[in-house]
Amino acid sequence: MATISKTSVLDRLRDVLQLCSLCAVIVIAYNGGALRNTEAIKVLLLVLVGVGNLLFGKLFCSNLCPLGLVQEWITQRRRREYSHIVRWSAADKILRGIKYILLTVLFIDYHIFLLNVTIAIVVLSIIIVGNMFFCKYLCPVNAASNIFRLTVMLMMVLLANWGLYMAGIDLPLWVLVGALSVGGYILEIVARKAEFNVSLLHIHRDTAKCTGCGNCSASCPFKVDLLKVKRVTDIDCNLCGECVRECDNDALKVGICNTRPDQNRIRGIWFAPLITIVLIAVAMWILSL
Ligand code: SF4
Ligand code: SF4
């Protein structure tokens, strides 16, 4: 993780959010009852994973997921890498399908079985394997996030489902989620980026300032190759901002829309966490209605 001198206090907003979410999970687990408030969890996930991913990218994954925090922490402190799965190799592509299967299974009512298996896999993958193994390959929320980022595919499947419904064919929810998962998986391994979407936030690289040192890609938890692009649309990028923190030449920024790096709509890495806070406020407002 970058040293605090390289970032402003505001840029630490993400760290604060992550710690708060971790504390919240510990308090909830300790008190035992709050997890039963499934309505609140649904609204929160729908606003953050649905609206958040659709408009701004993987805000939940980067700012609020306590598992992501633990995984990043362990991955960054590992002396030796245990996972040698090359990005976009055959093994990588096959493993990426597991999270879509788990997402679909979640909607077929195997909750308890899945919960136990998931806890075992989470512990094993985070502690033993590291290297964001759980996020990339096993996390159903990450799969759902990718589906929301692939907006055109999402809309096409929803439209087809609506057409079938109008024709008198009412598909079970898990079939719809399964179709979205198949589409998401194919686009993830073929296109490898979320180009087909309406997401407003991206990491931008100013080629005039960039010296090609490669610190950004080396610091990226997902090993995204930033040197190949001016605007990061990689499917794995969750706007965590680590690459921005590691760039000594101020060549990377979090930006809105398709702006060029020299345009003034570029923001700091505090911008994504700030939007997350606004979305949490929206979710709480919805819950209070
Ligand atoms: S860390 Fe900055 S200067 Fe180095 S390659 Fe990345 S963007 Fe370019
Ligand atoms: S490209 Fe940058 S913002 Fe995206 S995941 Fe990698 S380090 Fe985080």
Side-chain angles (χ1 to χ4, degrees):
M1 210 172 269
T3 55
I4 199 154
S5 59
K6 291 172 73 176
T7 49
S8 72
V9 174
L10 209 52
D11 285 340
R12 290 281 155 188
L13 208 52
R14 173 180 179 252
D15 301 352
V16 174
L17 270 182
Q18 280 186 319
L19 278 176
C20 288
S21 66
L22 185 65
C23 292
V25 168
I26 292 168
V27 170
I28 286 168
Y30 184 73
N31 289 326
L35 271 177
R36 284 183 218 129
N37 191 352
T38 49
E39 248 351 274
I41 291 170
K42 275 184 199 164
V43 171
L44 206 62
L45 284 178
L46 195 67
V47 172
L48 284 163
V49 179
V51 180
N53 277 287
L54 214 55
L55 295 178
F56 305 108
K58 295 181 177 176
L59 300 181
F60 178 82
C61 295
S62 61
N63 296 305
L64 288 176
C65 180
L67 294 177
L69 169 69
V70 177
Q71 204 172 186
E72 270 180 37
W73 195 85
I74 291 174
T75 301
Q76 284 165 345
R77 277 153 188 81
R78 267 202 191 294
R79 290 205 180 146
R80 190 184 141 202
E81 296 202 345
Y82 288 79
S83 167
H84 298 285
I85 301 165
V86 178
R87 208 160 180 255
W88 305 123
S89 62
D92 182 64
K93 286 179 184 170
I94 292 167
L95 285 169
R96 281 170 185 266
I98 299 174
K99 61 181 179 289
Y100 291 102
I101 295 170
L102 290 176
L103 176 66
T104 308
V105 172
L106 263 177
F107 284 81
I108 320 181
D109 212 15
Y110 285 125
H111 297 80
I112 301 300
F113 165 75
L114 203 70
L115 190 66
N116 289 326
V117 173
T118 305
I119 289 169
I121 293 173
V122 167
V123 172
L124 283 175
S125 63
I126 289 178
I127 295 176
I128 298 175
V129 187
N131 288 353
M132 312 306 286
F133 190 94
F134 179 75
C135 292
K136 262 195 296 188
Y137 303 133
L138 305 173
C139 179
V141 179
N142 190 24
S145 301
N146 288 350
I147 287 170
F148 277 103
R149 291 187 78 206
L150 299 161
T151 320
V152 174
M153 185 276 297
L154 173 69
M155 292 304 160
M156 282 171 66
V157 174
L158 290 181
L159 215 60
N161 184 57
W162 179 76
L164 287 172
Y165 182 74
M166 295 310 281
I169 303 168
D170 191 5
L171 296 175
L173 186 57
W174 72 266
V175 176
L176 176 63
V177 175
L180 288 168
S181 296
V182 171
Y185 175 60
I186 291 172
L187 279 176
E188 176 170 339
I189 63 167
V190 175
R192 303 176 186 181
K193 52 189 175 183
E195 279 286 23
F196 317 105
N197 67 11
V198 291
S199 183
L200 301 170
L201 276 186
H202 295 99
I203 301 289
H204 292 262
R205 186 172 64 93
D206 186 343
T207 48
K209 290 182 179 174
C210 176
T211 59
C213 68
N215 283 348
C216 47
S217 300
S219 69
C220 173
F222 295 97
K223 298 291 170 268
V224 171
D225 190 353
L226 287 101
L227 284 173
K228 284 188 180 158
V229 293
K230 284 185 181 176
R231 187 172 67 102
V232 178
T233 54
D234 193 285
I235 194 81
D236 286 337
C237 177
N238 62 13
L239 297 168
C240 69
E242 281 305 314
C243 53
V244 180
R245 287 180 182 182
E246 285 300 311
C247 180
D248 292 326
N249 301 302
D250 201 28
L252 294 172
K253 289 272 164 31
V254 183
I256 297 179
C257 302
N258 296 329
T259 52
R260 295 203 330 263
D262 54 340
Q263 291 180 325
N264 59 10
R265 277 182 287 176
I266 299 297
R267 302 284 197 275
I269 54 178
W270 48 268
F271 198 52
L274 191 68
I275 293 173
T276 310
I277 292 171
V278 172
L279 286 175
I280 293 171
V282 170
M284 290 176 84
W285 173 72
I286 292 171
L287 281 166
S288 72
L289 291 177

